């Protein structure tokens, strides 16, 4: 993933409109009680009356995973806080609105990054307050993306962090933790952490400078959240099924603080099949368990409706940027971007094509299918691209 540059929006007013939305391809959505509410729209979109939604995720955890922190309650839906997706949906009409609804009305992670407006004091606490609206049972989802937040995209893996940058990161994590407090949140910690893993197939000159330091900072963040945020379910990035080997991922996770987290996350910046990630995650979990570390995992399904691997992508698009994979242009297109199964913790009740054995593994080890990928953004970063968002929904099999 890439650094996201955006402008903050004004806080939403108190009181929300109660309503249930039932759209083809979307989960039922429930509002949070009260009156109508308005929010300032992002740059480029006229001011709109926006309604904040929650997705009903009530129910008892699966018997195979009774401690799942994502189960039950409601999950928040971002309706415009540093986000152009929902306002685009609100302004759309006809079939465009229908296709945009498939992503705009789903719970998804908001990325908080060093170096952009999300770095300012109060950003995390104000977002959580907006999303929960006084209801502590609502799950708010955050991606914390700081170890790559220095020196810009082009130089990030070539840049060795300075002492000042390390101190800035620790200070930022401390502030984020303080702003989270006892709120119920799910965190994907440091998407693209997999870039710090030592790979035998990677030339030394291509390896990340300061990888050990970045893993150490991630471990610091994991320790901080574990010590101060009792309702934070933290998942460390572990790449994807087509990226790190089991051993590489397990080693990286141990060095990066997996002992202090609920588990790990797969699929943040790749597009592998959910079934492949279930198998890969199970293998990583087994390797960690052999070291006495028993962990669960989550899988990104925002952009793997028509899954493909890194090698498949470059075989078909040798000159295209992997992060900016094109949305599908037809219902039969392959190696293209389409929305995957909607977010949920009810991993055995979804239409994802899994074998019986994979479904059993998911029930035991997968806490949820979450949306922390962002196929509606150019390069998965910025800016928002309306046409990509529409086609991602248009040609989604879900």
């Amino acid at each position: 993933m890439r650094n996201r540059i955006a402008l903050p929006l004004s806080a939403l007013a108190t009181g929300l409109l109660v309503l249930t939305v039932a759209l083809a391809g979307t989960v039922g959505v429930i509002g949070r009680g009260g009156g109508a509410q308005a929010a300032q729209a992002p740059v480029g979109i006229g001011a709109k009356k926006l309604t904040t939604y929650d997705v009903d995720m009530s129910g008892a955890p699966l018997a195979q995973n009774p401690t799942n922190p994502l189960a039950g309650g409601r999950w928040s839906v971002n309706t415009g806080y540093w986000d152009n997706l929902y306002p685009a949906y609100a302004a759309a009409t006809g079939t465009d609105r229908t296709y945009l609804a498939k992503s705009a009305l789903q719970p998804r992670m908001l990325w908080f990054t060093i170096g952009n407006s999300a770095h300012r004091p109060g950003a995390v606490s104000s977002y959580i307050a907006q999303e929960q609206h006084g209801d502590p049972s609502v799950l708010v989802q955050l991606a914390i993306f700081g170890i790559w937040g220095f020196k810009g995209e082009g130089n990030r893996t070539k840049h060795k962090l300075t002492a000042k940058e390390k101190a800035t990161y620790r200070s930022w994590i401390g502030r984020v933790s303080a702003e989270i407090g006892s709120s119920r949140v799910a965190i994907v910690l440091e998407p693209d952490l997999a870039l710090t893993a030592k790979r035998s197939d990677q030339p030394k000159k291509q390896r990340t400078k300061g990888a050990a330091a970045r893993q150490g900072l991630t471990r610091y963040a994991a320790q901080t959240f574990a010590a101060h945020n009792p309702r934070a379910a933290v998942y460390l990035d572990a790449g994807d099924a087509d990226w790190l080997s089991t051993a590489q991922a397990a080693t990286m996770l141990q060095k990066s603080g997996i002992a202090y987290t609920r588990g790990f996350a797969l699929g943040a910046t790749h597009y592998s099949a959910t079934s492949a990630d279930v198998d890969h995650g199970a293998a990583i979990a087994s390797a960690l368990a052999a070291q006495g570390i028993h962990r669960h995992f989550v899988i990104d399904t925002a952009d793997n409706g028509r899954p493909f691997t890194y090698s498949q992508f470059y075989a078909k698009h040798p000159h295209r940027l992997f992060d900016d994979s094109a949305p599908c242009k037809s219902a039969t297109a392959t190696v293209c971007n389409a929305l995957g199964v909607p977010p949920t913790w009810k991993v055995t009740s979804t239409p994802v094509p899994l074998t019986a054995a994979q479904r059993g593994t998911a029930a035991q080890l997968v806490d949820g299918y979450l949306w922390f990928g962002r196929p509606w953004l150019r390069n998965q970063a910025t800016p928002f691209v309306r046409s990509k968002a529409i086609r991602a929904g248009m040609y989604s099999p879900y």
Side-chain angles (χ1 to χ4, degrees):
M1 286 288 185
R2 304 297 183 255
N3 291 17
R4 182 176 179 183
I5 308 301
L7 295 174
L9 304 179
S10 61
L12 296 179
T14 302
L16 301 162
L17 182 66
V18 178
L19 78 133
T20 299
V21 178
L23 292 170
T26 69
V27 180
V29 180
I30 301 176
R32 257 170 274 169
Q37 153 181 340
Q40 178 184 336
V43 174
I45 296 179
K48 297 290 178 181
K49 291 284 186 180
L50 302 183
T51 304
T52 298
Y53 299 97
D54 296 327
V55 173
D56 184 1
M57 291 290 179
S58 59
L62 299 178
Q64 302 94 321
N65 187 6
T67 62
N68 188 352
L70 308 185
R74 303 196 300 274
W75 292 7
S76 72
V77 174
N78 185 353
T79 57
Y81 197 100
W82 287 316
D83 181 88
N84 284 282
L85 178 57
Y86 183 90
Y89 152 76
T93 59
T95 56
D96 283 359
R97 184 179 174 89
T98 299
Y99 296 134
L100 287 169
K102 287 190 173 186
S103 51
L105 298 183
Q106 296 295 350
R108 56 193 186 278
M109 288 198 169
L110 181 62
W111 287 48
F112 288 86
T113 307
I114 282 181
N116 68 11
S117 54
H119 183 237
R120 67 171 175 78
V124 173
S125 58
S126 62
Y127 180 63
I128 293 173
Q130 169 189 293
E131 296 300 286
Q132 289 191 325
H133 201 258
D135 184 348
S137 71
V138 174
L139 178 73
V140 181
Q141 301 180 45
L142 318 170
I144 302 301
F145 185 68
I147 61 171
W148 304 116
F150 301 96
K151 295 296 182 183
E153 172 57 29
N155 297 311
R156 64 178 186 156
T157 60
K158 300 175 183 178
H159 172 59
K160 189 173 182 178
L161 296 176
T162 65
K164 182 178 179 180
E165 287 167 341
K166 293 175 186 177
T168 297
Y169 180 86
R170 294 189 187 96
S171 176
W172 180 61
I173 289 297
R175 191 173 74 226
V176 168
S177 174
E179 292 186 21
I180 291 172
S182 60
S183 299
R184 186 188 180 207
V185 298
I187 297 172
V188 168
L189 182 55
E190 296 301 347
D192 267 1
L193 178 65
L195 287 170
T196 68
K198 185 176 181 180
R199 293 167 42 194
S200 58
D201 63 336
Q202 186 179 44
K204 287 186 177 180
K205 65 181 180 179
Q206 293 181 9
R207 294 176 185 171
T208 299
K209 288 187 177 180
R214 284 179 165 89
Q215 291 171 354
L217 289 173
T218 303
R219 184 171 61 251
Y220 175 86
Q223 289 175 304
T224 300
F225 295 136
H228 301 290
N229 307 109
R231 301 187 73 200
V234 180
Y235 302 89
L236 291 181
D237 175 75
D240 208 351
D242 65 341
W243 195 348
L244 303 182
S245 70
T246 299
Q248 289 164 349
T251 298
M252 179 198 69
L253 290 171
Q254 286 179 277
K255 292 180 178 179
S256 302
I258 190 68
Y260 303 99
T261 71
R262 171 68 184 182
F264 56 92
L266 295 173
T269 60
H270 285 221
Y271 316 88
S272 295
T274 301
S275 57
D277 277 333
V278 168
D279 289 341
H280 187 51
I284 295 171
S286 179
L288 291 172
Q291 302 298 318
I293 304 171
H294 299 275
R295 293 295 179 267
H296 295 250
F297 59 100
V298 294
I299 297 172
D300 174 57
T301 58
D303 49 16
N304 69 350
R306 300 186 182 279
F308 54 91
T309 66
Y310 190 87
S311 58
Q312 288 172 333
F313 177 84
Y314 279 111
K316 185 171 182 178
H317 305 289
H319 304 297
R320 191 179 180 95
L321 181 65
F322 185 68
D323 280 327
D324 198 28
S325 65
C328 298
K329 296 182 179 180
S330 74
T332 58
T334 59
V335 192
C336 54
N337 222 320
L339 300 177
V341 68
T344 184
W345 62 267
K346 302 175 184 180
V347 295
T348 59
S349 303
T350 69
V352 174
L354 301 176
T355 66
Q358 289 169 336
R359 200 166 291 276
T361 297
Q364 181 181 1
L365 293 175
V366 179
D367 283 348
Y369 302 136
L370 305 184
W371 281 14
F372 42 97
R374 302 172 296 181
W376 41 84
L377 303 181
R378 183 170 63 85
N379 294 344
Q380 304 182 49
T382 189
F384 171 75
V385 182
R386 186 175 183 274
S387 60
K388 288 188 69 172
I390 290 172
R391 290 203 313 209
M394 182 185 301
Y395 296 116
S396 169
Y398 300 100

